[in-house]
Amino acid sequence: MSSYSAIDALLAAHTPLPLPVERSRVRRSLGISVEEVAQVVGVSPEVLHAWEEGLAVPEGHPRDAYAYFLHRAHIVVDYCARAVGKRDPAPAPAAAAAPRHTRPVREIPAPRRGRAQHAGTAGDPIREAVVAETAAHAGDPHGAIEALTARAVPDAVRMFETLRVGGRYDIVRRPALPEILRTPAPTAPGGFLGGPRLDWQRSGTGEQDDLVAALGINAPWLSAFKTHLPLGQLQAADPQRHDRHRAGIHLVTPPLWEHGGYLPHPLGPLPASTEPVWITEPTLRLLLRLSGPRYWLCAPPVVHESWTAPSTEGLLEKFRIALRDARSRALGEDDTVTLAYVKALYTGFVRALGEVSERALHRPDWMHLIHAQAFANVWSKAYRAHTEGLVVMKVNGSDELHLQGDWRQVFEEGRDLSQLRLRGTYKITADDCGSTSAPGAQCSDPYAEKRRYEYAGGRYVGCRSCGGDLCTSCRMTHLAPADVPVQHNDDNVCGACR
């Protein structure tokens, strides 16, 4: 490579890319086809189209070549515009004379009719969908939310597939599954703990004079998209050697946990039996960290069987970033329709992974791993609170954390993914400390309705008197973890109401 070529490559690597709409405009102004640019850049036409639509982010050497092309093309477009502007003006009577034979500058074709058009929607499928449904429902936000929620699952799968264009890894979309994933039994001995639902309340008394802050974790499933997911079909692996470049499910004997007085067990409420249980990759990695020299909180888990495949932590990263940015923008604009749509997209996508349907993507192992990562994230927040001197009073689900102390010195308050939001405060009494109602008992707590809020895309009702879970239908019957089958874990209803 000559010094001039090296200089061009260096500058291309540090040249910022214009907005997607500008990329398309420059190419069309010169009359260059997508196929021509794709060939010289070294990608497929589909990838280049995704770059121009803002559905994928250029990376590596193709990104540098594309940046160099856009920079040079922009110079040519400006030169052509100046050349036309500096041409000697002809007298008025001769204005209709035939121009010289120069290469014409093509105009951008007008958008097709029938498509919803809105400023700023180009290359943004989330905003386009919101604008279209809002217009279709004459500005009624409730009607738009209902329509967007109904179409969220296919929209989410399509968006994920689009953002996968030009991806570095190939994935198996409908693999054969191990038997344990085909017949999950989360509460039986040896059953599958795909996502250990944390349902823990401090057994010792806290400071009765201090308020307890009930904190909500924002979009826990969306944050859990950043986890190691297997690319191909799960295969039997050596259980004695954990490979960090692979992910899957593992049959383990959980370690003894001696910190239940102030921290929940990382596996949640374990079955009474001491037989091994199936856990997923995020839970195993959490246990291995806690058994390591940085924590020394427990012994390493004993792994009896493993089913894994090569994995990557960035498989859903582009999808996660697109949803995160749309959510942040909606929060800034107080756009309730977009907020509801984004939530329906990521919760619907996770559920769709485990559904048996004709859809091309069927990965229940991904679904369980995302659930488990959400619980591992909230456990890590509880541990951080404990190490910072706060009193952890309660951890429930993947989005609820009750703390005593000045929690704002440890966590930032807000609605961003990295922040916590305050749902309310309450004081504990001597009757509250360590008291729980037996599953199936009837509760007449008058504050139960006031503590109702959404949980993991479904509904959740908590009993303020004893901290237990209540049926969301009758709001009286206490639930145990075994009362809610995995296929109904977003309903939280008792057997009688179900």
Side-chain angles (χ1 to χ4, degrees):
M1 179 185 291
S2 67
S3 59
Y4 296 102
S5 300
I7 292 172
D8 287 341
L10 177 64
L11 293 177
H14 292 80
T15 301
L17 294 174
L19 295 175
V21 64
E22 180 68 11
R23 304 170 194 173
S24 177
R25 187 195 68 80
V26 170
R27 176 185 59 78
R28 293 178 178 178
S29 297
L30 295 176
I32 303 176
S33 67
V34 172
E35 289 74 14
E36 291 175 305
V37 179
Q39 182 178 2
V40 297
V41 171
V43 297
S44 66
E46 292 78 14
V47 170
L48 190 78
H49 178 72
W51 290 353
E52 290 189 349
E53 292 293 328
L55 300 176
V57 179
E59 297 176 347
H61 294 297
R63 186 264 181 211
D64 299 343
Y66 189 45
Y68 183 76
F69 163 77
L70 291 173
H71 175 68
R72 297 292 299 171
H74 197 277
I75 294 175
V76 175
V77 170
D78 288 346
Y79 174 79
C80 293
R82 288 195 302 270
V84 172
K86 291 181 179 180
R87 187 175 300 160
D88 293 337
R100 296 182 179 181
H101 293 283
T102 59
R103 185 175 184 178
V105 178
R106 292 192 180 183
E107 297 181 355
I108 301 176
R112 296 178 181 177
R113 295 182 179 179
R115 252 183 106 180
Q117 297 295 323
H118 185 271
T121 63
D124 189 343
I126 295 178
R127 189 186 289 271
E128 287 180 355
V130 170
V131 170
E133 293 296 348
T134 303
H137 291 82
D140 176 25
H142 300 290
I145 290 175
E146 184 177 354
L148 289 167
T149 302
R151 57 180 280 189
V153 170
D155 284 0
V157 175
R158 187 182 309 110
M159 187 175 178
F160 165 73
E161 297 287 4
T162 302
L163 292 173
R164 282 284 304 153
V165 173
R168 186 178 302 175
Y169 306 103
D170 293 329
I171 60 176
V172 179
R173 287 170 166 77
R174 297 185 68 89
L177 299 173
E179 181 65 24
I180 189 62
L181 283 174
R182 294 198 294 268
T183 57
T187 59
F192 184 61
L193 293 176
R197 178 180 176 181
L198 299 178
D199 186 5
W200 174 88
Q201 186 174 7
R202 187 183 183 92
S203 58
T205 60
E207 296 294 334
Q208 297 184 23
D209 294 333
D210 292 345
L211 289 174
V212 178
L215 304 175
I217 298 173
N218 300 306
W221 285 11
L222 181 55
S223 297
F225 276 14
K226 193 172 185 63
T227 188
H228 292 268
L229 295 177
L231 299 169
Q233 180 174 318
L234 300 182
Q235 303 286 345
D238 181 6
Q240 305 304 321
R241 187 180 67 87
H242 180 254
D243 187 347
R244 299 191 63 85
H245 299 290
R246 300 176 69 88
I249 61 175
H250 310 270
L251 181 66
V252 306
T253 296
L256 178 65
W257 187 252
E258 300 177 345
H259 316 282
Y262 52 90
L263 281 174
H265 196 296
L267 293 187
L270 289 171
S273 173
T274 58
E275 291 187 23
V277 294
W278 285 95
I279 63 174
T280 55
E281 191 69 26
T283 309
L284 177 63
R285 292 186 183 227
L286 176 60
L287 289 175
L288 292 175
R289 288 198 303 271
L290 299 183
S291 64
R294 181 178 176 183
Y295 298 92
W296 292 124
L297 290 177
C298 62
V302 179
V303 184
H304 305 282
E305 187 176 349
S306 293
W307 288 76
T308 63
S311 66
T312 174
E313 195 178 17
L315 187 61
L316 302 180
E317 187 64 5
K318 292 180 181 178
F319 189 27
R320 184 188 70 86
I321 290 175
L323 294 173
R324 180 203 64 187
D325 293 347
R327 183 179 181 276
S328 299
R329 183 180 66 245
L331 288 172
E333 299 173 356
D334 196 21
D335 184 356
T336 57
V337 177
T338 300
L339 279 176
Y341 181 44
V342 170
K343 182 176 182 179
L345 284 173
Y346 66 77
T347 57
F349 177 78
V350 174
R351 289 198 191 94
L353 293 174
E355 293 176 353
V356 180
S357 65
E358 298 301 323
R359 199 173 295 111
L361 187 62
H362 177 61
R363 293 301 301 251
D365 50 341
W366 293 4
M367 178 191 70
H368 289 300
L369 266 68
I370 292 171
H371 287 177
Q373 185 63 57
F375 292 117
N377 291 345
V378 70
W379 192 96
S380 298
K381 284 182 170 61
Y383 179 78
R384 177 185 173 189
H386 169 71
T387 57
E388 294 289 344
L390 302 177
V391 179
V392 183
M393 296 300 300
K394 184 177 181 181
V395 183
N396 205 310
S398 61
D399 69 342
E400 181 182 7
L401 186 61
H402 291 212
L403 302 175
Q404 264 191 344
D406 190 359
W407 62 273
R408 291 183 177 88
Q409 295 296 321
V410 180
F411 301 102
E412 186 177 354
E413 184 175 9
R415 299 190 65 184
D416 189 71
L417 295 184
S418 61
Q419 299 170 330
L420 301 182
R421 69 183 186 278
L422 180 64
R423 285 173 169 165
T425 58
Y426 60 93
K427 279 191 175 182
I428 60 173
T429 64
D431 294 336
D432 294 330
C433 300
S435 63
T436 56
S437 295
Q442 297 297 304
C443 178
S444 58
D445 179 17
Y447 298 103
E449 177 64 15
K450 295 182 180 179
R451 293 190 62 246
R452 175 182 172 187
Y453 54 86
E454 288 187 340
Y455 163 74
R459 297 172 58 202
Y460 171 78
V461 174
C463 174
R464 181 172 178 178
S465 294
C466 65
D469 295 351
L470 293 177
C471 171
T472 57
S473 180
C474 65
R475 300 173 191 164
M476 293 181 62
T477 304
H478 280 265
L479 302 175
D483 295 333
V484 184
V486 66
Q487 61 267 30
H488 298 291
N489 62 356
D490 288 332
D491 299 328
N492 290 318
V493 295
C494 64
C497 294
R498 190 180 308 120

